[in-house]
Amino acid sequence: MSQEVQHDHEHGHEHGNEGARDNAAASAQGINLTPKALEMVKQMHTKEGLGVEQGLRISVVGGGCSGFQYSLSFDVEKEGDTAQEIDGAKIFVDEISLPYIAGTTLDYVEGLHAGGFRFDNPRASRTCGCGSSFSA
C-alpha cells in the first residue's frame, strides 16, 4: 500500500522516537497523515463523487481563537502548490501555508464529544481546545 513511506523510513534510523511516530503516518512534503486520517479523506472523496483531479487542500488562514486557523477542502492543484499523492489520495498545500504547517500531523479521531480531524503542529507556540487554530 504505502511502499514509498516505508522506503523513506529506511533512511532515518538515527531518530528512534521520530521513526516510531513516522511509521504511523504517511508524509506529504512535510505534512503527515495518520492511517485513519488518510482513510477518512479517501472515504469523503468517494462520498462526494469527486474526480481524480480533486485532492485534499490543507491550508492556513488568518483568524480563529489563536491567530491562525487550519482549513481543509477538496480542490484541484493550483500554481505554486506543493502536491503529492499518498496511497491514491492527492494532497495540496499552497506555498504561503507550507512554512506554517510543515511537520504537522493530521489525524482523525472519533469520540462522543469532539470527533473529527485534529492537527498536531510542532511549530505552533499556542494551540486552542478546538484543535483547529494555533499561533506561530
Side-chain angles (χ1 to χ4, degrees), residues 50-95:
L50 301 173
V52 293
E53 75 283 354
Q54 296 275 332
L56 178 68
R57 177 169 299 283
I58 304 173
S59 58
V60 171
V61 295
C65 40
S66 294
F68 293 104
Q69 188 167 334
Y70 301 104
S71 175
L72 295 174
S73 61
F74 287 107
D75 199 358
V76 295
E77 185 174 356
K78 296 178 180 170
E79 188 175 337
D81 281 350
T82 295
Q84 187 170 338
E85 189 168 316
I86 301 173
D87 197 20
K90 292 182 180 177
I91 311 297
F92 305 128
V93 180
D94 66 84
E95 59 191 342

Side-chain angles (χ1 to χ4, degrees), residues 3-136:
Q3 294 170 342
E4 296 176 50
V5 174
Q6 291 172 352
H7 177 74
D8 290 343
H9 297 298
E10 292 173 6
H11 300 290
H13 293 298
E14 66 273 5
H15 303 293
N17 290 342
E18 288 179 22
R21 180 176 172 177
D22 289 347
N23 283 335
S27 175
Q29 301 294 338
I31 307 300
N32 303 304
L33 275 75
T34 64
K36 185 64 177 175
L38 188 57
E39 175 188 338
M40 293 308 297
V41 167
K42 291 163 109 180
Q43 282 182 17
M44 291 176 183
H45 189 277
T46 301
K47 185 177 179 181
E48 296 288 325
L50 301 173
V52 293
E53 75 283 354
Q54 296 275 332
L56 178 68
R57 177 169 299 283
I58 304 173
S59 58
V60 171
V61 295
C65 40
S66 294
F68 293 104
Q69 188 167 334
Y70 301 104
S71 175
L72 295 174
S73 61
F74 287 107
D75 199 358
V76 295
E77 185 174 356
K78 296 178 180 170
E79 188 175 337
D81 281 350
T82 295
Q84 187 170 338
E85 189 168 316
I86 301 173
D87 197 20
K90 292 182 180 177
I91 311 297
F92 305 128
V93 180
D94 66 84
E95 59 191 342
I96 295 170
S97 298
L98 188 60
Y100 291 102
I101 58 177
T104 296
T105 298
L106 177 62
D107 193 8
Y108 188 87
V109 295
E110 295 175 343
L112 293 174
H113 177 48
F117 287 103
R118 292 274 186 246
F119 295 85
D120 178 12
N121 187 345
R123 296 174 185 269
S125 61
R126 188 178 74 221
T127 59
C128 175
C130 65
S132 64
S133 82
F134 70 101
S135 56

